[in-house]
């Protein structure tokens, strides 16, 4: 995230803006990074379950009694 130049604003606005920017950098950005990583892990698990579901449906639709494994 690119910082905004608040040098032309009053000191109280500069101070408030700096506090918010620091909060975003220190707290929100790391939280967002973690949430995105967690979301990606969930999507990967969902993908694996959907593959398994597809395989099970294929086996059922072909009325297979035995499976060959590699």
């Amino acid at each position: 995230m690119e910082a905004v130049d608040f040098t032309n604003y009053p000191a109280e606005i500069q101070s408030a803006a700096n506090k918010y920017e620091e909060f975003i950098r220190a707290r929100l950005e790391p939280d967002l990074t973690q949430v995105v990583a967690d979301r990606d892990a969930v999507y990967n698990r969902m993908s694996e379950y959907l593959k398994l579901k597809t395989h099970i449906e294929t086996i059922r639709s072909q009325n297979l009694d035995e499976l060959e494994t590699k």
Side-chain angles (χ1 to χ4, degrees), residues 20-35:
Y20 284 118
E21 285 181 347
E22 180 57 30
F23 175 74
I24 289 169
R25 265 193 300 279
R27 183 71 185 158
L28 297 182
E29 286 179 359
D31 286 353
L32 177 61
T33 301
Q34 183 61 49
V35 167

Side-chain angles (χ1 to χ4, degrees), residues 57-69:
E57 289 172 348
T58 301
I59 292 167
R60 285 184 177 162
S61 70
Q62 295 178 2
N63 294 322
L64 297 175
D65 293 329
E66 295 180 9
L67 296 176
E68 290 184 24
T69 58

